[in-house]
Amino acid sequence: MSWHSRGIAADDLAALDAELADEEDYLDISRHGIVEVVGDDSAGRKIIVVSACKLPPVGKETFNHAKLLRYLTHTLDTFVEQDYSLVYFHYGLTSKNKPPLSWLWQAYKAFDRKYKKNLKALYLVHPTNFIRIVWQIFKPAISVKFGRKMMYVNYLEELAQYINLDQLIIPPQVIEHNEQLLMKNKKNLPASPPQSAVVTPVGTTQFGASLQFLKENNNGDPIPPILRQCVEFLDTPDALETEGIFRRSANVAVIKELQNRCNQGLPIDFQGDPHIAAVLLKTFLRELDEPLMTYELYDEITQFQTLSKDERPRKVKILILEKLPEDNYQVLKYIVQFLSRVMDRCDLNKMTSSNLAVVFGPNLVRAPPARGMSLSAIGPINQFIDFLFTYQDKIFII
């Protein structure tokens, strides 16, 4: 269906007021893939992955560790205002690519309170004696509170208890190393998490289903029941004015329990907590069998920054109003119009269009499974979603 048949006016949207300020070119750092930003963990927190094996050998090529540190802070700056988790794959750090201890200390000092406050978990995967020695050296200067966030993870199977491994970009050499460790230490294999005994009735499944399936099992209503329930709970003054709404995480066990009840067709209770409803809403979007902004549109969305200001309104109209399937359009419209009311209270909840774009970008837009989400795609995706939120009243039919 075209935007003409949906009744949208032919006038172009107003161009963005200003472009983002020029930033330092980090292409020489980002091409190594040392830092990646992936999906959310089971508590609704953004996951940032750092892989030591991708650090280039010192001396073999000129690698600017000081610039790497700036790149790390530049990456985190986008996410530190919301709860996030950090996964560090230690395997592959050798005497050839190991940064000096002085750099590690500079890195710790560079990550001041604003970076540490909302870091909820730091997973150190495949730790060695080197990590433990560094920890003992730095321990007197590291706060007890920060120390509690650190977790040694000996196997990927242990990490899977906290994070869906399918979301992570795990280097092949890390996977191979993990297999070797398991073979070597068969007696110490981590116990498999217990399988749920609950059998989900197919007709009531909502999490992980397709929009078509949900519509067929919801009397033809394109808005899934759990999405409507979350929005109606959050669309009240008290919830809309909650500071940090959609940026805070929630108890993992509570979210899993609500998902299970929802999939069984049982009533659910948000316990009067807007953050539970907000995380459940994000979880629903993240677990759709295909993202709301379909895989087919991924390349066009990630090229958004290459468009001129004059091109953007027309391109967005075509993408949303012509290329997005009708059911996806209706659900997206429902969500975006609700989020416009969240933005109307941004003086109280601190959720501007750009803040919401950071939160919802990866939940609305995902890379096709065979490709995985690259860090370079995060910026264009967030900017596209920010544009969509800002000009929603000119894009969607009221």
Side-chain angles (χ1 to χ4, degrees):
M1 181 180 287
S2 70
W3 75 65
H4 300 293
S5 60
R6 281 176 176 153
I8 198 76
D11 295 338
D12 280 344
L13 303 178
L16 287 173
D17 293 334
E19 289 294 297
L20 294 177
D22 290 337
E23 298 174 339
E24 182 175 5
D25 182 9
Y26 291 109
L27 184 61
D28 56 331
I29 303 293
S30 63
R31 66 185 177 88
H32 293 287
I34 301 164
V35 186
E36 299 286 357
V37 179
V38 293
D40 294 354
D41 65 14
S42 52
R45 301 181 291 236
K46 195 62 58 192
I47 307 168
I48 298 172
V49 177
V50 178
S51 302
C53 64
K54 295 185 178 182
L55 282 166
V58 177
K60 192 171 183 179
E61 60 176 293
T62 303
F63 185 74
N64 189 333
H65 283 90
K67 191 172 183 181
L68 170 61
L69 182 54
R70 293 198 297 276
Y71 178 60
L72 283 169
T73 55
H74 168 77
T75 301
L76 289 175
D77 276 342
T78 309
F79 303 101
V80 294
E81 295 303 321
Q82 58 180 305
D83 293 348
Y84 70 100
S85 298
L86 188 63
V87 177
Y88 169 60
F89 291 120
H90 181 61
Y91 177 75
L93 191 71
T94 67
S95 58
K96 295 181 179 179
N97 67 353
K98 187 185 298 179
L101 282 177
S102 59
W103 182 88
L104 294 175
W105 179 238
Q106 288 174 356
Y108 179 76
K109 290 195 296 183
F111 296 124
D112 59 21
R113 186 176 181 276
K114 78 170 183 176
Y115 300 98
K116 296 166 187 169
K117 177 186 175 184
N118 290 333
L119 173 64
K120 299 306 178 184
L122 170 56
Y123 302 99
L124 304 175
V125 184
H126 299 140
T128 63
N129 286 335
F130 172 76
I131 282 188
R132 293 180 171 88
I133 291 170
V134 170
W135 172 248
Q136 290 303 320
I137 292 173
F138 290 166
K139 190 173 181 179
I142 295 176
S143 71
V144 174
K145 187 175 181 181
F146 182 81
R148 292 196 193 105
K149 299 176 182 180
M150 292 178 55
M151 297 179 62
Y152 288 130
V153 179
N154 295 312
Y155 305 98
L156 293 177
E157 287 69 16
E158 292 178 3
L159 184 62
Q161 298 175 32
Y162 307 98
I163 294 174
N164 180 358
L165 298 186
D166 291 338
Q167 291 191 63
L168 302 184
I169 301 173
I170 306 176
Q173 53 266 57
V174 172
I175 296 175
E176 183 179 349
H177 175 66
N178 189 73
E179 291 173 351
Q180 291 173 353
L181 285 177
L182 290 175
M183 291 296 293
K184 182 179 178 182
N185 303 305
K186 287 183 178 179
K187 294 181 180 179
N188 298 322
L189 287 176
S192 299
Q195 298 296 314
S196 173
V198 175
V199 177
T200 302
V202 175
T204 58
T205 300
Q206 294 196 61
F207 288 87
S210 68
L211 289 179
Q212 181 181 0
F213 173 89
L214 292 167
K215 181 179 179 180
E216 290 172 353
N217 287 275
N218 190 33
N219 299 318
D221 187 349
I223 310 302
I226 185 58
L227 177 60
R228 193 179 293 279
Q229 195 170 353
C230 288
V231 167
E232 288 178 354
F233 178 84
L234 292 167
D235 206 4
T236 59
D238 285 347
L240 289 174
E241 295 170 6
T242 300
E243 184 172 346
I245 189 67
F246 291 113
R247 285 202 303 221
R248 298 279 79 87
S249 53
N251 183 280
V252 176
V254 171
I255 296 300
K256 288 296 183 186
E257 173 64 19
L258 291 178
Q259 283 185 261
N260 288 334
R261 291 185 63 83
C262 182
N263 279 345
Q264 295 172 66
L266 300 173
I268 62 173
D269 181 5
F270 298 125
Q271 302 173 20
D273 188 344
H275 297 301
I276 290 177
V279 169
L280 206 63
L281 190 157
K282 291 189 296 179
T283 302
F284 170 78
L285 293 174
R286 185 171 66 252
E287 294 189 2
L288 282 171
D289 73 332
E290 184 179 20
L292 198 56
M293 305 298 295
T294 62
Y295 291 132
E296 186 179 346
L297 303 180
Y298 180 78
D299 287 334
E300 287 188 69
I301 291 172
T302 54
Q303 293 166 10
F304 182 77
Q305 285 179 324
T306 68
L307 300 174
S308 69
K309 288 190 294 183
D310 292 335
E311 289 180 298
R312 290 179 179 182
R314 184 178 67 86
K315 290 286 187 180
V316 171
K317 283 181 182 178
I318 292 172
L319 192 149
I320 298 295
L321 302 172
E322 290 191 345
K323 296 185 177 181
L324 195 64
E326 178 65 22
D327 289 344
N328 297 56
Y329 170 83
Q330 294 296 337
V331 173
L332 181 66
K333 174 185 173 183
Y334 181 76
I335 292 170
V336 172
Q337 290 184 339
F338 158 64
L339 292 178
S340 72
R341 297 190 287 277
V342 176
M343 290 186 284
D344 287 342
R345 307 291 212 290
C346 68
D347 56 326
L348 297 171
N349 60 37
K350 312 302 180 187
M351 297 305 292
T352 62
S353 63
S354 59
N355 287 338
L356 285 169
V358 169
V359 172
F360 278 91
N363 290 312
L364 294 172
V365 183
R366 299 198 305 270
R371 292 167 58 179
M373 180 82 81
S374 68
L375 183 59
S376 61
I378 296 291
I381 288 172
N382 291 349
Q383 203 173 352
F384 172 86
I385 297 299
D386 189 0
F387 186 97
L388 190 65
F389 290 170
T390 301
Y391 296 104
Q392 60 85 22
D393 59 327
K394 297 181 176 65
I395 296 173
F396 298 96
I397 303 168
I398 305 301

